[in-house]
Amino acid sequence: MTRKSIWTRYGFAWVTLALFLITLTGHWIFGWYSYANEQLALQQPAEIGDYTVQMMRDTLENWQSEFLQLLWQVAGLAILLHVGSPQSKEGDDRIEAKIDAILLAVEPKKGDSLLKDIDDEYEGRHTDARFVRMLERRHS
């Protein structure tokens, strides 16, 4: 099995990071124009220090109300799914156990070796052995 580059393995993350940086940059650029126009209307000079403080405040307010909430809903739940919380694995394990049982019922002699080959190919993802043992007891 060939190893993919970091760009391929994390392609979605790179695209997300690029979109994040583009939108953050746009937010700050258009914020500058808004700030400069506001200062011009007030006949005040546009100062980088004041602008930076105002934009950091606005950015953090947006992150607090939107970004952090979305971050938890998407990234947090994706992490839980990836680490295998009981709720995330329940459906997959059940489906895999059913497929294994069907394979063993159809090809009892070849089933075990085929399942071992599949598990080896997919880096040790193993079905809950309890269902395999139950099927074996029925056929004995």
Side-chain angles (χ1 to χ4, degrees):
M1 186 165 159
T2 62
R3 204 160 152 90
K4 296 179 180 178
S5 73
I6 193 168
W7 301 106
T8 305
R9 284 184 292 153
Y10 299 106
F12 182 77
W14 293 120
V15 169
T16 303
L17 178 65
L19 291 173
F20 171 75
L21 292 175
I22 289 167
T23 57
L24 185 64
T25 302
H27 174 68
W28 279 66
I29 289 171
F30 290 112
W32 170 256
Y33 287 116
S34 175
Y35 172 78
N37 286 335
E38 184 180 306
Q39 293 301 96
L40 184 62
L42 296 172
Q43 296 178 348
Q44 299 287 325
E47 296 178 5
I48 294 290
D50 290 339
Y51 165 72
T52 302
V53 169
Q54 182 178 338
M55 284 306 294
M56 287 182 76
R57 184 195 71 219
D58 290 348
T59 301
L60 290 175
E61 284 177 2
N62 285 337
W63 283 12
Q64 181 183 12
S65 65
E66 302 293 334
F67 181 71
L68 292 176
Q69 180 183 47
L70 185 64
L71 178 69
W72 169 245
Q73 289 176 351
V74 175
L77 295 175
I79 289 169
L80 289 176
L81 180 69
H82 178 70
V83 297
S85 69
Q87 291 80 11
S88 68
K89 292 184 72 175
E90 184 176 305
D92 291 344
D93 286 349
R94 184 170 183 242
I95 290 170
E96 189 172 345
K98 284 183 174 184
I99 292 171
D100 288 353
I102 291 169
L103 178 62
L104 289 170
V106 172
E107 287 286 343
K109 293 179 183 175
K110 294 180 185 176
D112 285 331
S113 65
L114 186 55
L115 287 174
K116 184 183 177 324
D117 292 345
I118 291 170
D119 287 340
D120 290 344
E121 180 68 27
Y122 288 94
E123 299 179 19
R125 294 183 188 175
H126 302 287
T127 301
D128 187 351
R130 177 174 49 125
F131 295 108
V132 175
R133 285 192 305 270
M134 286 172 42
L135 183 64
E136 289 172 350
R137 275 188 243 134
R138 287 184 190 155
H139 289 294
S140 315

